[in-house]
Amino acid sequence: MDKLYDLAIIGSGPAGMTAAIYAKRAGLDIILFEGSAPGGKLVKTFEIDNWPGQPNISGVDLAMKMYEHTTQLEVTTEYTAIVKIDVDKIKTLTSEDGRTFKTKAVILATGTVENKMEIPGEEAMIGKGVSFCAVCDGAFYKQKKVAVIGGGNSALEEAVYLTQFADEVTIVIRRDVFRGDVQAIERALANPKIKVIKKHIPYEVVHGNKVTALRIKSVNDGSIQDLEVDGIFPYIGATPSTGCLKDLGVTDSMGYMIVNDKMESKIPGLYGAGDVVVKPLRQIVTAVNDGAIAAQTAFHYIKEFDA
Ligand code: NDP
């Protein structure tokens, strides 16, 4: 018979790792699932300046510290993605490799995946000039020209990061204002290697074996121009990773998980935490907040379950 865990946590970004730390310290028998690398979006972030107490910490370093903390607590971890959750009183998780796991409660902390531009040439050139991770691929663009698409915090921060390598970084935004924080905007605009093209949208990735240009279209008059670049970094928002919740009726029209202030979904014993839930502010501090609350709520649920 399958082992019955107290709590399964799906996703090991800041929300999932915090939930694991709190749950383990509360004495729960837990299992943590991770479909790729621990750390979530942290490991793709160059520098973090709003984690209280540690200004200018690198995303990879913060992820490693959190990961070491969970491993010190001997959290059982499975490196596989969960593709389905059956939500009877005892919940059954099915992994992508076809295994099943039984648990009394589940915290979903799977975060989001980067949106694609959905333009011709993009798919063919992913990994060959189109990249969704400046931290991973920036060094390939030494003394080259790159385009960053989007005007949110991710685009602004990664554009600044890319100036360490590239000679020229062009940020392309579709409105005439940025979406990111004032501080991030000021930092990007003060960088002499960064220029900005407003009111244009990506139209086509122009390429042979390599990317040669980003074709962009004016939102004012529809005119087309080619921006000669070697690399393209889209940072145009993200989509929640909630495929395993399909048909459970716990997500909104955008796919984000709906939870209350105790991180409870409408299904008893099923909780959400971090970027995957409906919330006004997606930050590391709000993700760890969610993880702690979800673990605490799950703890009380499991105590009643066992009573
Ligand atoms: P955002 O949703 O904040 O920004 C997305 C950007 O992409 C916007 O400028 C948007 O334009 C643009 N965009 C969306 N779709 C398209 C499209 N099809 N074509 C062209 N442009 C498009 O995403 P981020 O990933 O930047 O941030 C996500 C969350 O994470 C935010 O809450 C952000 O604050 C947070 N974050 C915080 C950080 C920090 O505090 N250090 C670092 C990174 C992220 P428009 O504005 O016109 O809609």
Side-chain angles (χ1 to χ4, degrees), residues 238-261:
T239 301
S241 302
T242 47
C244 62
L245 300 180
K246 202 168 159 261
D247 303 328
L248 296 182
V250 293
T251 50
D252 72 1
S253 59
M254 309 270 288
Y256 287 95
M257 189 176 181
I258 301 165
V259 291
N260 63 15
D261 59 0

Side-chain angles (χ1 to χ4, degrees), residues 50 151-154 157 174-175 179 235-237 282-283:
N50 52 10
N153 282 332
S154 299
E157 291 183 5
R174 62 183 177 183
R175 295 185 290 152
R179 184 179 283 273
Y235 282 102
I236 56 169
R282 293 193 170 80
Q283 298 277 295

